[in-house]
Amino acid sequence: MRAQTTPSHLPELEIAKALSERRVLLAFQPIVGAGDRVAFHEALLRLRLPCGQLLAPGQFLLGLRNPTLRRALDIRALSLGIAELNAHPGLRLSVNVDPDSLHNPVFHRELDMQLRTAPETAERLILELTERAPLPPLPVFARRRDRWREMGLSLALDDFGAGCTSFRHLRDWRFDILKIDGSFSRNVHSDPDNQALMRALCGLAQHFEAYTVAEAVETAAEARWLTACGLDACQGYHLGRPTVDPAWRPSEPAIASG
């Protein structure tokens, strides 16, 4: 039964079919700052199977090696995110982008076209790059990065501390937002090692004047410690689960998508 597909092993043909049938959609998770105020939402890919089941990225992306298909998913997420921003002027969204897409002129053309069509959305759009994959060399990419910044677009580094980004990248890219990997949030209120690492990562981010977000915050105790440590915002199930029916669409009740 297709609904029981093994996570990360959905066949590429099934992913391509879901794209063509518009069964790839977005779920939205809040990033919550001081005073329980939502700073922005992260737009997360979901794939709906023909039976109606929603799959999270870990259930269909981890085994995907086809760069053309990965780029098509990035473009789909970007298009859906910008459409959401256009429909809701008070909204701010981050959209995940595979660093490999930054090398590709097709992705650049799509982003430029979308922003030319609705230039006022650029200031509410955040491109979120994961640290789990190598970033393009900045000398090759600096002009485009600076052009995006002139348009008002922000850049976020996801999973900060997880692996691939060197301190040189941190210094040179000057990310607007650093999202600290959730492994450091886990039991941070009681784990001295995670406390030391979180303070160090938070201190680096603050030195570079980046807005700091702690990922995967699951308890009130973790959130209290992180706020006291000086993190600007938190993200995780304690603050809100991803939903494909967010509150700014008042016509339908919210449905959590996991």
Side-chain angles (χ1 to χ4, degrees):
M1 184 175 176
R2 197 168 293 162
Q4 302 300 318
T5 301
T6 303
S8 82
H9 288 83
L10 195 67
E12 290 184 2
L13 186 60
E14 292 295 324
I15 299 173
K17 187 177 180 183
L19 272 168
S20 67
E21 294 177 354
R22 297 187 174 274
R23 287 188 283 107
V24 173
L25 60 157
L26 294 178
F28 303 93
Q29 186 174 30
I31 286 78
V32 180
D36 294 330
R37 177 180 173 274
V38 175
F40 60 96
H41 287 78
E42 181 177 358
L44 299 155
L45 276 179
R46 294 291 184 267
L47 187 149
R48 193 187 299 278
L49 295 174
C51 66
Q53 179 187 357
L54 285 173
L55 300 184
Q59 296 172 286
F60 66 93
L61 273 184
L62 292 182
L64 182 59
R65 298 287 179 260
N66 185 325
T68 301
L69 197 49
R70 292 187 74 95
R71 186 172 64 250
L73 288 166
D74 276 354
I75 290 173
R76 173 68 170 159
L78 179 69
S79 299
L80 289 172
I82 290 178
E84 201 75 24
L85 290 170
N86 290 339
H88 304 281
L91 189 62
R92 193 175 189 217
L93 285 180
S94 68
V95 176
N96 290 280
V97 177
D98 190 315
D100 285 343
S101 290
L102 297 182
H103 295 278
N104 193 277
V106 176
F107 178 83
H108 294 160
R109 284 197 298 271
E110 181 68 22
L111 178 58
D112 289 347
M113 182 190 72
Q114 294 274 1
L115 294 181
R116 278 198 306 271
T117 303
E120 68 282 357
T121 64
E123 293 185 355
R124 296 183 288 119
L125 176 64
I126 302 162
L127 292 187
E128 192 165 319
L129 313 177
T130 181
E131 195 197 20
R132 296 180 187 275
L135 296 172
L138 189 62
V140 175
F141 201 75
R143 184 177 298 179
R144 185 170 292 277
R145 178 206 62 181
D146 293 345
R147 180 166 170 268
W148 286 347
R149 284 228 168 92
E150 288 171 4
M151 299 172 72
L153 188 147
S154 298
L155 292 175
L157 180 63
D158 194 15
D159 303 322
F160 178 47
C164 290
T165 298
S166 69
F167 291 136
R168 177 175 53 83
H169 276 129
L170 182 63
R171 179 196 65 200
D172 294 345
W173 273 76
R174 299 282 172 170
F175 289 95
D176 304 286
I177 300 167
L178 288 175
K179 299 181 70 180
I180 298 175
D181 188 69
S183 62
F184 304 112
S185 300
R186 191 170 300 121
N187 298 319
V188 70
H189 60 292
S190 59
D191 185 330
D193 292 340
N194 272 356
Q195 289 174 5
L197 290 165
M198 185 63 76
R199 286 191 185 102
L201 292 171
C202 186
L204 276 171
Q206 290 170 346
H207 172 80
F208 290 105
E209 300 181 336
Y211 187 88
T212 51
V213 178
E215 298 180 309
V217 179
E218 308 300 341
T219 69
E222 291 169 354
R224 282 194 299 269
W225 190 95
L226 291 161
T227 300
C229 181
L231 273 290
D232 293 309
C234 295
Q235 177 182 9
Y237 282 5
H238 173 66
L239 290 312
R241 289 176 175 266
T243 176
V244 296
D245 291 303
W248 58 82
R249 299 177 190 161
S251 58
E252 297 184 25
I255 301 173
S257 69

